[in-house]
Amino acid sequence: MTAQLNGVQEFTEVVRKGSFVAAAEGLGVTRSALSKSIKRLEIRLGVRLLNRSTRSLSLTPEGEIYFNRCTVALDMISDAESRIEAGIVEPSGLMRLTVPVAFGHLFIMPLLNIMALKYRALNIEVDFSDRVRDPATDGFDLALRLGPLPDSGDLVATRLGEQRLIICASAGYLERAGIPIDLRELSSHRCISGLPSDGQTYWLIRGKEGHVVRHVVSSAYRFNNGQAMLEAAIAGCGVTQLPDWLCGDAIKKGQLRAILPTFQAPPTPISAMWPRTHTVLPKVRALIEELKKELPALLTSAQRSSVTR
């Protein structure tokens, strides 16, 4: 039965919204993942459901019949789930999370502590890791993601905020090594970076036409932890690129100085992701609501000092 429902919600959402872009945004997936999901549904059914063109989107005769029946079925499922959830008093059971190390300690732990005190029937297990984990395959109820979202139809995501990546160094280091005014000059500087998953160290920067590009850097220091990168930069060990929520306080205190502002990449999303199911469990919903309520103000306060001029 589960396999029969794959792609149904995506298909009905596209028809209701009238476009792949609007439906993808509403479901929290990429347009590519949404398109692939509906294509798999059409292949499984053996019919074309949608007529697609660059300017219009319409239902085929088979698609119209299928959409009408699916709408009724999904409404019945939604009603049944609402009735069940109405009988659940509070979040309970084990909730497994995976969060980036520094971000998790600064922003997520305070919220989890509040939940732990509020919901005594809730058990919380947290994996602090800067590795990109897939909650659908790794068994997590929720994952916090910094940066672009994966192209997966198995996950749902909601945007919690955004971050900017700031290139910075200590005043002491810049006095000794000079202030780079162009990316090419970074080759003569000692760079501090994270440990790459693909073996190549790069920073995300704004390209000539405003697009985000990967600029390869040669690193003198590499860490698998953002807090360690911050401490090395403050100590004067080199130039680094850090998210604004992490380096903002150090910039405010004069421990770090933002450089190369014209190459600063556009903001990237901070998101919560969870496996696609027909029911968002009360424990997951409670945490998402807490994140949406409290995180924006916490991020704004931490990011305000990092704004480059």
Side-chain angles (χ1 to χ4, degrees):
M1 177 62 72
T2 301
Q4 289 178 299
L5 293 174
N6 289 341
V8 172
Q9 184 181 14
E10 292 87 342
F11 165 67
T12 56
E13 189 72 6
V14 167
V15 176
R16 284 168 172 164
K17 293 292 180 62
S19 79
F20 278 83
V21 174
E25 183 176 348
L27 292 172
V29 300
T30 64
R31 185 188 184 286
S32 174
L34 182 63
S35 180
K36 290 177 183 177
S37 180
I38 294 178
K39 187 64 176 177
R40 287 193 295 267
L41 174 63
E42 290 179 321
I43 292 174
R44 180 168 62 82
L45 296 174
V47 297
R48 192 175 67 204
L49 300 173
L50 295 168
N51 292 315
R52 306 169 177 86
S53 71
T54 56
R55 295 185 178 182
S56 64
L57 184 70
S58 63
L59 286 166
T60 65
E62 295 82 2
E64 186 172 358
I65 294 172
Y66 192 67
F67 171 73
N68 292 334
R69 298 294 178 88
C70 286
T71 300
V72 173
L74 289 176
D75 286 344
M76 292 177 65
I77 292 173
S78 178
D79 179 69
E81 290 175 352
S82 297
R83 291 173 183 274
I84 292 173
E85 291 172 4
I88 299 175
V89 177
E90 65 176 30
S92 61
L94 176 63
M95 180 168 62
R96 300 186 69 239
L97 315 173
T98 177
V99 299
V101 180
F103 187 85
H105 281 287
L106 285 173
F107 301 110
I108 306 305
M109 273 305 301
L111 302 183
L112 291 179
N113 291 338
I114 292 173
M115 290 192 66
L117 293 172
K118 185 177 181 180
Y119 303 115
R120 296 307 179 100
L122 179 65
N123 299 323
I124 302 173
E125 181 179 304
V126 185
D127 168 67
F128 288 96
S129 174
D130 288 331
R131 291 174 49 213
V132 177
R133 306 294 296 270
D134 184 341
T137 58
D138 294 337
F140 291 103
D141 295 298
L142 195 73
L144 270 294
R145 178 69 179 260
L146 308 178
L149 295 175
D151 187 8
S152 173
D154 297 325
L155 300 174
V156 181
T158 186
R159 191 180 183 113
L160 302 173
E162 61 183 28
Q163 65 175 10
R164 289 183 180 274
L165 298 174
I166 309 296
I167 302 174
C168 53
S170 71
Y173 173 83
L174 294 173
E175 288 175 5
R176 295 193 310 270
I179 303 174
I181 60 174
D182 190 89
L183 292 175
R184 290 173 297 181
E185 295 185 12
L186 286 177
S187 61
S188 62
H189 284 264
R190 298 178 69 81
C191 295
I192 304 166
S193 68
L195 285 175
S197 58
D198 57 4
Q200 190 174 55
T201 303
Y202 59 85
W203 293 347
L204 297 178
I205 60 101
R206 183 190 297 272
K208 292 181 178 180
E209 298 181 357
H211 301 300
V212 177
V213 298
R214 295 182 176 186
H215 179 77
V216 177
V217 295
S218 179
S219 301
Y221 297 93
R222 295 197 293 181
F223 302 91
N224 67 344
N225 181 279
Q227 183 65 33
M229 293 169 60
L230 174 67
E231 293 172 6
I234 291 174
C237 297
V239 181
T240 191
Q241 185 183 58
L242 295 170
D244 49 8
W245 52 263
L246 182 57
C247 66
D249 188 57
I251 291 176
K252 179 181 179 181
K253 293 178 178 178
Q255 296 171 313
L256 293 176
R257 176 179 171 183
I259 59 175
L260 298 169
T262 57
F263 297 98
Q264 180 177 295
T268 57
I270 298 173
S271 309
M273 305 187 305
W274 61 94
R276 179 179 296 282
T277 60
H278 289 287
T279 302
V280 180
L281 297 176
K283 58 187 178 183
V284 177
R285 181 184 293 108
L287 178 55
I288 293 171
E289 291 175 353
E290 195 73 28
L291 288 168
K292 287 185 173 181
K293 176 184 175 183
E294 302 293 343
L295 191 57
L298 295 175
L299 282 171
T300 298
S301 177
Q303 294 167 332
R304 188 177 293 119
S305 301
S306 69
V307 176
T308 56
R309 294 175 173 83

